[in-house]
């Protein structure tokens, strides 16, 4: 009798374990989400705001890498086949170099230019053709991010029609948050006495334009400044009473430190490519406000 009871107990436990395993497998299948790939971290932020819990959002250019020069790995090229779409900015260095190859490798994958509808500002000379190109750093203002958010929402609604209501609701919430951010940035920058700043790579072209500021880039045609250009930058900083030099982690500090010594300006590290996009934009405005 005791042996019979133990046998029944063992059978019950095994049945329970199998049931749990099956339930867990079913849960995993239900929670497994499809992937959307984006080119840079700020796009991952805004796409995540719209997608909510419906998709995994993965970034193609890893944190700490420059989207101007990044080269994807073979593993990334292969994993891209698992994505439902690729959201690009349009005009970034690696996009100009690699997107045609990625399209050839993934002919059925939709490539969505999220900056469509944004008025482009002039950027820098392209090294090979010496032609003025539009500046690709469009994500550095809330107004431009509103356009990007709307484009992402429209694409997600086509990809997952059943969840379109959620995407549209998330869009309205995101647009309100972006407007609040824009109001805060104006409050910090509208009354600045010194309205110019120096920056190594001209990432803040749209930010400067939106808030009536003057961005002075250290780069010349994508290259480090020559001794003569450095002398000109030092003179410009003194003339415009520049007090801040913004530098990004992907670039060398030597020239910025030289100018800082000659002009008494302060070097401030920024990361416009951060996933914490809203926080980064506020920190930039707060830095200028406190100079």
């Amino acid at each position: 009798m005791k042996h019979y009871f133990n046998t029944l107990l063992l059978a019950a436990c095994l049945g329970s374990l199998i049931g749990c395993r099956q339930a867990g497998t079913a849960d995993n299948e239900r929670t497994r989400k499809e992937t959307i790939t984006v080119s840079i971290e700020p796009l991952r932020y805004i796409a995540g705001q719209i997608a909510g819990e419906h998709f995994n959002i993965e970034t193609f250019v890893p944190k700490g890498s420059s989207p101007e020069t990044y080269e994807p790995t073979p593993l990334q090229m292969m994993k891209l086949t698992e994505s439902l779409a690729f959201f690009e900015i349009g005009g970034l260095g690696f996009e100009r170099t690699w997107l045609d190859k990625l399209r050839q490798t993934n002919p059925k994958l939709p490539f969505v230019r999220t900056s469509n509808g944004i008025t482009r500002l002039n950027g820098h000379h392209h090294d090979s053709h010496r032609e003025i190109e539009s500046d690709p750093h469009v994500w550095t203002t809330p107004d431009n991010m509103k356009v990007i958010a709307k484009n992402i929402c429209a694409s997600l609604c086509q990809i997952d029609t059943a969840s379109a209501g959620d995407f549209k609701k998330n869009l309205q919430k995101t647009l309100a948050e972006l407007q609040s951010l824009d109001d805060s940035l104006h409050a910090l920058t509208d009354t600045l006495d010194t309205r110019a700043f120096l920056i190594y790579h001209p990432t803040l072209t749209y930010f400067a334009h939106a808030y009536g500021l003057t961005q002075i880039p250290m780069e010349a045609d994508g290259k480090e400044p020559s001794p003569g250009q450095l002398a000109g930058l030092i003179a410009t900083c003194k003339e415009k009473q520049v007090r801040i030099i913004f530098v990004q982690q992907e670039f060398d500090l030597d020239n910025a430190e030289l100018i800082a010594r000659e002009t008494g300006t302060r070097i401030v590290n920024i990361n416009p490519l951060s996933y914490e996009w809203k926080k980064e934009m506020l920190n930039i405005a707060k830095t200028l406000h406190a100079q």
Side-chain angles (χ1 to χ4, degrees), residues 121-125 132-136 202 205-206:
L121 302 176
N122 285 340
H124 51 272
H125 292 92
I132 293 291
E133 294 183 338
S134 62
D135 191 298
T205 304
Y206 293 88

Side-chain angles (χ1 to χ4, degrees), residues 108-221:
K108 295 182 179 180
L109 180 68
F111 284 77
V112 180
R113 178 164 290 199
T114 60
S115 62
N116 283 343
I118 292 175
T119 301
R120 292 295 189 112
L121 302 176
N122 285 340
H124 51 272
H125 292 92
H126 190 279
D127 290 342
S128 58
H129 301 296
R130 305 292 294 174
E131 295 176 354
I132 293 291
E133 294 183 338
S134 62
D135 191 298
H137 308 100
V138 295
W139 65 89
T140 56
T141 73
D143 277 349
N144 286 353
M145 271 298 208
K146 289 178 185 178
V147 177
I148 290 171
K150 290 175 184 178
N151 288 335
I152 288 174
C153 181
S155 294
L156 293 181
C157 287
Q158 291 180 346
I159 292 169
D160 183 2
T161 56
S163 303
D166 289 344
F167 301 143
K168 292 175 181 177
K169 188 182 300 181
N170 291 342
L171 173 64
Q172 294 309 310
K173 180 182 177 182
T174 301
L175 293 177
E177 291 175 353
L178 290 171
Q179 184 57 54
S180 178
L181 174 62
D182 185 50
D183 293 342
S184 297
L185 294 175
H186 270 293
L188 289 165
T189 58
D190 283 352
T191 59
L192 291 176
D193 294 327
T194 300
R195 307 197 65 78
F197 60 87
L198 193 67
I199 188 169
Y200 187 91
H201 182 69
T203 314
L204 298 179
T205 304
Y206 293 88
F207 180 89
H209 183 265
Y211 301 105
L213 307 172
T214 299
Q215 172 183 251
I216 306 169
M218 292 176 60
E219 277 187 342
D221 297 341

